[in-house]
Amino acid sequence: MKNGDGALQTLTPDQALAVVRTRQALPLSDLAEIVRQRNGGEIVDAELLRVGQMLVYAIKMLDRDDRLSVQYFYARSGRPIGE
């Protein structure tokens, strides 16, 4: 997804691999472990986004009560956004 001014962009798999290789973002497997320990539940989808100059993971989760939510994490640190 990308809006007209380029403020939000979903990275392609090749772009995501490049930012992980250059340590600008955690590998998804590392973040998945952080998310599972923090929230429980099941990850059903994940996207790596560029928001302005920042990299963000959007993680779609199914919790233990089968409720779907999207949670956002800083891609470099794995810290949740908004806490």
Side-chain angles (χ1 to χ4, degrees), residues 27-53:
L28 182 56
S29 59
D30 292 359
L31 181 68
E33 186 59 32
I34 292 168
V35 171
R36 282 189 202 101
Q37 288 177 4
R38 180 179 182 270
N39 299 320
E42 179 183 348
I43 296 173
V44 295
D45 193 24
E47 291 183 312
L48 185 54
L49 309 172
R50 184 176 302 281
V51 182
Q53 297 299 313

Side-chain angles (χ1 to χ4, degrees), residues 30-77:
D30 292 359
L31 181 68
E33 186 59 32
I34 292 168
V35 171
R36 282 189 202 101
Q37 288 177 4
R38 180 179 182 270
N39 299 320
E42 179 183 348
I43 296 173
V44 295
D45 193 24
E47 291 183 312
L48 185 54
L49 309 172
R50 184 176 302 281
V51 182
Q53 297 299 313
M54 186 176 11
L55 293 168
V56 173
Y57 275 108
I59 305 293
K60 210 177 273 188
M61 296 281 306
L62 191 61
D63 72 13
R64 295 176 189 162
D65 296 323
D66 292 332
R67 290 180 299 212
L68 190 63
S69 67
V70 179
Q71 300 173 23
Y72 298 91
F73 297 84
Y74 293 104
R76 187 178 296 246
S77 67

Side-chain angles (χ1 to χ4, degrees), residues 14-35:
D14 287 340
Q15 291 170 324
L17 184 57
V19 298
V20 168
R21 283 185 174 158
T22 59
R23 300 180 193 266
Q24 296 174 61
L26 291 174
L28 182 56
S29 59
D30 292 359
L31 181 68
E33 186 59 32
I34 292 168
V35 171

